[in-house]
């Protein structure tokens, strides 16, 4: 049971240990970056590289936002783990749609962001 008086934000003291859910999110994110890198390697045209860079920048923006949230708020407090799980599910949808994100599955890729 959580203490309702415990603040939602992290403490101001020193570095914090990473939570297991944060590490699992990073693992899921590495899988999506691997797919984006494979797309860049497979299509060696300027259009393909531009598309891969756009996909990488979108994934990077999601990762930076999630990192900012987990650095600011305690991932052990109740709404934050659900938020991380939801973002992780969205990143997995983006990863699944990435190979055809600029053809058939663009709406899935963009909507999951």
């Amino acid at each position: 049971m959580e203490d309702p008086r415990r603040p939602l934000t992290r403490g101001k003291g020193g570095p914090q240990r990473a939570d297991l859910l944060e590490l699992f999110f990073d693992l899921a994110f590495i899988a999506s970056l691997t797919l984006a890198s494979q797309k860049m390697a497979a299509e060696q045209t300027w259009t393909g590289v531009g598309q891969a860079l756009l996909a990488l920048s979108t994934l990077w923006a999601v990762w930076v936002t999630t990192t900012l949230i987990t650095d600011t708020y305690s991932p052990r407090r109740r709404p934050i783990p659900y938020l991380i799980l939801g973002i992780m599910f969205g990143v997995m949808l983006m990863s699944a749609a990435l190979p055809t994100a600029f053809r058939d599955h663009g709406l899935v890729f963009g909507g999951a962001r």
Side-chain angles (χ1 to χ4, degrees):
M1 182 155 180
E2 292 182 19
D3 183 12
R5 296 173 301 200
R6 199 169 86 193
L8 184 62
T9 57
R10 287 187 183 223
K12 297 271 193 262
Q16 301 287 324
R17 288 184 55 128
D19 195 42
L20 186 61
L21 187 59
E22 290 176 280
L23 294 174
F24 188 63
F25 172 76
D26 288 340
L27 184 64
F29 199 79
I30 287 170
S32 63
L33 287 177
T34 302
L35 286 173
S37 299
Q38 285 177 350
K39 179 175 176 49
M40 186 182 288
E43 298 182 30
Q44 295 183 356
T45 63
W46 287 109
T47 304
V49 170
Q51 289 175 353
L53 286 175
L54 182 63
L56 281 171
S57 66
T58 304
L59 291 169
W60 179 77
V62 171
W63 182 76
V64 165
T65 305
T66 307
T67 303
L68 180 65
I69 289 170
T70 57
D71 281 347
T72 304
Y73 299 105
S74 174
R76 292 188 177 95
R77 289 296 303 224
R78 199 42 74 188
I80 304 303
Y82 297 132
L83 179 67
I84 293 172
L85 286 172
I87 293 171
M88 196 177 342
F89 180 71
V91 167
M92 288 314 212
L93 280 177
M94 289 173 71
S95 297
L98 189 62
T100 57
F102 292 94
R103 290 188 300 265
D104 300 333
H105 295 107
L107 194 57
V108 175
F109 184 82
R113 189 189 181 286

